[in-house]
Amino acid sequence: LGVRRGDRVGVRMPSGERELYLAILGVMAAGAAYVPVDADDPQERADLVFAEAAVRGIVGEGGRFVAASGDDHAPGGGILQGDAHPATAPIALPGQPTPDDDAWVIFTSGSTGVPKGVAVSHRSAAAFVDAEARMFLQEAPLGPGDRVLAGLSVAFDASCEEMWLAWRHGACLVPAPRSLVRSGEDLG
């Protein structure tokens, strides 16, 4: 859909659904960085964050990609999931990101009144996850047979501890709706 290495793509989907994490992985597979905004945040915040990050487009509910207004190089949009279709011509693979390319851009809560974006490179993400694994998983490292709860908003930096630790070790990421995570009693 026109997304390329070095682009930034907004992601604003309800938490607790696997499509959210598939969209994030899809954005990164295209070589772009994802810019998460919580689906429950006010539209004004989403507009500010996406404008500040200069996103190429936004993946929203249902996995629908909508090109940013003013982007003359991207098609109008489309669904990022669904059945494969036969192609009449080969599809060019996007440029692979380098360790120094941005993986995601997280925005602060805006203690000055205006949210500020912090870009996190693939190198920094890998170093973060490796450091966490050394600190917390020494005696019992995660592996493909493990399950990791994904219950935090992807717009909150701590969500990276859920997603990236699971993905780094091949564990199963289990999305949970915010209502379940907040209930506490039902979470177990």
Side-chain angles (χ1 to χ4, degrees):
L1 297 175
V3 173
R4 306 236 180 316
R5 178 178 164 223
D7 286 341
R8 293 176 172 179
V9 175
V11 176
R12 189 173 190 204
M13 301 174 72
S15 64
E17 298 178 6
R18 69 183 178 107
E19 287 77 15
L20 169 62
Y21 302 97
L22 293 172
I24 289 170
L25 289 170
V27 167
M28 290 192 301
Y34 72 95
V35 182
V37 171
D38 194 289
D40 294 335
D41 281 351
Q43 186 61 43
E44 296 81 29
R45 179 175 172 85
D47 292 343
L48 186 145
V49 165
F50 293 149
E52 182 71 25
V55 298
R56 181 77 183 251
I58 301 163
V59 181
E61 194 166 355
R64 180 163 297 280
F65 175 82
V66 177
S69 60
D71 186 348
D72 298 329
H73 303 293
I79 299 290
L80 296 182
Q81 58 204 34
D83 296 332
H85 60 82
T88 57
I91 297 172
L93 294 175
Q96 295 295 309
T98 69
D100 293 320
D101 285 333
D102 293 342
W104 75 87
V105 180
I106 195 84
F107 275 74
T108 66
S109 57
S111 59
T112 61
V114 179
K116 292 179 180 56
V118 176
V120 180
S121 70
H122 287 274
R123 180 185 316 278
S124 293
F128 171 71
V129 171
D130 286 347
E132 283 215 322
R134 283 191 303 273
M135 289 172 51
F136 301 117
L137 303 172
Q138 293 176 1
E139 302 302 318
L142 287 174
D146 292 314
R147 299 166 65 83
V148 176
L149 177 71
L152 296 173
S153 167
V154 296
F156 180 44
D157 57 357
S159 69
C160 300
E161 296 177 34
E162 299 169 339
M163 293 185 295
W164 289 80
L165 271 175
W167 293 336
R168 156 56 167 96
H169 296 281
C172 178
L173 188 67
V174 181
R178 186 95 29 84
S179 59
L180 178 64
V181 174
R182 287 181 183 149
S183 73
E185 182 178 321
D186 298 326
L187 185 58

